[in-house]
Amino acid sequence: MDGTRTRRSLGLAGRINLVVVMTLVLGLGLVAWLFAASLTSARESIVDRNLQHESDILYLSIENFMMPGEAPIAARFFSEVAGLGSGYRLGLYRRNGEEAFSDNATINTVNANVGRIRFQPRSATVAPSSMGIPERPLLERATSIPPESVFFMWKEGGKTYKRVYRPLLNLPKCTACHGSDHTIRGVIDLRADISDTLRAETVTVAASASGFALMSIALAAIIGRLLRAVVVDPVLAIGRLCLDVTGGDFSGRVDVERNDEIGGLASTVNGMVEGLRERYELTKYVSVGTISSLASGQDARRVERTLLFTDVRGFTSYTEKHGAEAILAVLNRLLDNQAQIIVGCGGDIDKFVGDEVVAVFSGDDAPVRACDAASKIRAAVSAGADLYDSLAVGIGISTGQVVQGMVGSSRRADFTVLGDAVNIASRLCALAKPGQILLCDCTRDRLPSGAFPIDGPYKARLKGKAERQTVYIMTESPAAGGKKEAGDEA
Amino acid sequence: MKRDGSASNCGMLLACAAALFIASYAASCAAPPRPTLVPDGYRSWSLTTNVRLDYPIPGHEDRYRVIQMNEKGFTFTRAEGPSGRVDFPEGTIIAKDIFPTSNPGPTDLPVMLTAMIKAPSDPDARGGWLWVIKDLSSGMETLQKGDFCVRCHANANEAHPYGSKNPGGAFSDYVFFVPGRQSAASSTGAY
């Protein structure tokens, strides 16, 4: 372990899909939950209401049997209703939890209250069954003051019941037989088997949840695909275009024709790439020095530079003999080749003046690179004589202090160099014969010994200079040195 | 980043606004609280019966009871003839003080008040009456929306063991002790 953690980031498409899926799962999950809850609530409401109505009917039935003193009929009625079906159970409990109609306790109480044998005690009785412990709190709740019907779920024998404890009041008209010392006589215990209903409800909820899940997946896929088409793909296309631009390819464009934010972004990026392309194209016409000066400021400064001038020899007479298209074709090939060599040697094309190239080299090894460029230009032009209709160039190189800065008007200016070294390079170029490279002594002095085959020194009269100047000739092969008159060679 | 922060704040504001809207909407849907149903001066009202109500009955056991009714209640109507139907006017309040024992001393105060308020159009009315239990120590009134009170008092509309016993089973508007009938109760001495 090097302690470096790589964290995989989720892409835009992944994030959008994640948000979509989470939204759908939460949204549809909430809907599914509400559906299940409302289904359960509706079922419970219906079951409870039915139980309440049934217990009301039973209550009134018992009350109406009891009042005329027909308790045995009430007991038989109760017994028969309890046996109506397997899914339906019925019980009657005293408030102490003992099952009613099972012993002589109530009969004895009634007989005592009315002061006579109103009902004959049962000859055979069974011990009253009592409620189980879990039911006691519910019984107490149902028989508290004020009493209330208590509904609850109950599981027994693998079945699920909905039960209700319906309190039986000791009404004033009941007190003659049952006494006035209590308010609640007991409860009706009515239970309905809802196992099948619950099973059907579970199946319905499961089917609905599955449907919602499938719908979530389908919607996520559709929305994800839609978002991919509407958002992700255009963004990815914009990203690819930016990568192309970074690699120098300005030809691409994002094809998004829409009147929305993405369309606006694509249009802006296309405009930006077009602007970058135009600026890139501009570098062909404007020197690197000009461009860099725009970036770094336009203050003039005095610096040492090596100037390289080339000029096509006999070009004026060539133009008189050839058509314009042929002239431009040959000239452009010639200038392009020279420009490539100069740039390859670290030089900056300052300007093209007709068939003349003006290049500037900077840095400590500027004279070496300028001479290297000149040598390569001469070799290239010589080797490509067929391409250039046997035209040749003369080359002048000078090194010295120059003033570098913006020259021109506020509307049109060049970042160029001025000074004696520029003039000398220009004069040397003018003096050079076809295929000849002339160097000033300042350049020669800055070349490592033996780096180039140099012949000279020679003395040459340059226009604008009162004194004859020391000049060297870079030959194509090493030559014996010796002081000569420039007029002999140059 | 600023844009994210402002977007988050905006979301919070929207959430708060939504919560406030839901809360205010829920509050507007909630039923307004009821005014006090039984006025404090009810003990100055006239009694509905001169029977000493200290015998046990379901609902109140053997705790001593005193029943008062407001003036409007005494304008009840009683039909002529055999039916003898009794109807109390809307706005009738019958207040029943419940004492802690069957034989309270002169300094003993009631612990609870149960009341019937005639309000047939009230959705919470049962048998045309609102049934109220008031905790006299806290003053809290609880409306009885179940059938506990009305089910017992429904016996007043048929023959019953209290007061006049209503032997003819005349409709008595859920009131056991209709003023003017208590002499029968006095004579029975049963309750």
Side-chain angles (χ1 to χ4, degrees), chain A residues 11 52 88-89 182 214 224 231 262 306 316 343 367 421 429 455 483:
Chain A
Q52 182 71 51
Y88 190 80
R89 293 178 68 177
H182 58 279
L214 287 174
V231 177
I262 296 290
T306 295
T316 304
V343 171
C429 178
D455 192 14
K483 195 166 186 177

Side-chain angles (χ1 to χ4, degrees), chain B residues 89-109:
Chain B
E90 185 167 357
T92 298
I93 302 177
I94 301 174
K96 181 162 59 179
D97 273 327
I98 311 293
F99 287 77
T101 63
S102 62
N103 188 23
T107 57
D108 288 337
L109 293 173

Side-chain angles (χ1 to χ4, degrees), chain A residues 125-464:
Chain A
T125 61
V126 293
S129 63
S130 295
M131 286 186 177
I133 296 297
E135 300 158 84
R136 289 281 178 176
L138 299 168
L139 175 70
E140 286 168 10
R141 203 175 115 205
T143 56
S144 62
I145 301 296
E148 60 173 330
S149 294
V150 176
F151 296 86
F152 59 101
M153 302 285 281
W154 190 256
K155 288 182 183 295
E156 191 175 296
K159 294 199 169 188
T160 304
Y161 296 92
K162 190 67 192 278
R163 289 174 71 173
V164 59
Y165 283 164
R166 171 71 158 85
L168 285 168
L169 303 182
N170 184 30
L171 299 174
K173 60 189 175 186
C174 306
T175 56
C177 293
H178 295 291
S180 298
D181 59 343
H182 58 279
T183 303
I184 312 297
R185 294 218 29 76
V187 294
I188 297 172
D189 175 15
L190 190 59
R191 64 175 76 182
D193 183 359
I194 57 168
S195 304
D196 293 340
T197 308
L198 279 181
R199 204 171 297 116
E201 186 179 300
T202 304
V203 170
T204 303
V205 169
S208 302
S210 303
F212 279 125
L214 287 174
M215 197 186 301
S216 296
I217 293 169
L219 280 175
I222 292 169
I223 295 174
R225 187 168 286 274
L226 193 65
L227 282 174
R228 174 170 280 278
V230 172
V231 177
V232 178
D233 285 347
V235 169
L236 291 178
I238 290 170
R240 282 194 295 272
L241 176 62
C242 292
L243 276 177
D244 290 345
V245 170
T246 304
D249 180 4
F250 298 93
S251 61
R253 295 291 181 274
V254 183
D255 184 19
V256 179
E257 297 290 337
R258 298 209 318 248
N259 292 324
D260 58 10
E261 290 82 352
I262 296 290
L265 175 63
S267 176
T268 302
V269 170
N270 283 339
M272 184 187 74
V273 173
E274 178 60 24
L276 288 172
R277 188 194 65 77
E278 288 173 358
R279 283 162 185 73
Y280 177 73
E281 292 295 323
L282 194 62
T283 60
K284 295 178 183 177
Y285 305 99
V286 180
S287 71
V288 173
T290 301
I291 294 170
S292 62
S293 73
L294 290 171
S296 61
Q298 301 177 1
D299 294 339
R301 51 185 178 155
R302 187 178 292 279
V303 292
E304 185 175 285
R305 292 288 184 265
T306 295
L307 285 306
L308 182 149
F309 278 63
T310 74
D311 187 53
V312 180
R313 293 291 170 260
F315 191 67
T316 304
S317 60
Y318 181 83
T319 59
E320 293 170 352
K321 297 172 186 170
H322 294 81
E325 289 185 358
I327 293 167
L328 280 181
V330 170
L331 181 60
N332 283 339
R333 280 201 295 272
L334 198 51
L335 295 178
D336 184 59
N337 198 351
Q338 292 181 77
Q340 286 186 25
I341 291 169
I342 289 167
V343 171
C345 291
D348 178 21
I349 305 295
D350 185 62
K351 61 174 75 74
F352 294 103
V353 183
D355 59 337
E356 188 181 71
V357 178
V358 179
V360 181
F361 289 80
S362 59
D364 291 340
D365 60 346
V368 175
R369 286 186 283 109
C371 289
D372 189 31
S375 176
K376 287 176 178 173
I377 288 171
R378 178 171 60 189
V381 172
S382 174
D386 293 343
L387 281 172
Y388 310 129
D389 270 357
S390 298
L391 287 170
V393 295
I395 302 172
I397 301 173
S398 172
T399 301
Q401 291 287 317
V402 296
V403 173
Q404 192 171 34
M406 298 301 294
V407 177
S409 70
S410 59
R411 300 180 67 85
R412 171 72 171 88
D414 285 326
F415 189 78
T416 187
V417 288
L418 301 169
D420 197 43
V422 180
N423 295 331
I424 290 173
S426 175
R427 301 289 182 265
L428 289 174
C429 178
L431 189 65
K433 294 175 180 174
Q436 194 173 48
I437 302 170
L438 299 182
L439 317 175
C440 71
D441 54 348
C442 294
T443 304
R444 161 68 178 76
D445 293 347
R446 284 166 173 76
L447 294 175
S449 177
F452 297 95
I454 303 293
D455 192 14
Y458 297 98
K459 287 294 183 181
R461 187 174 298 282
L462 301 181
K463 186 181 176 183

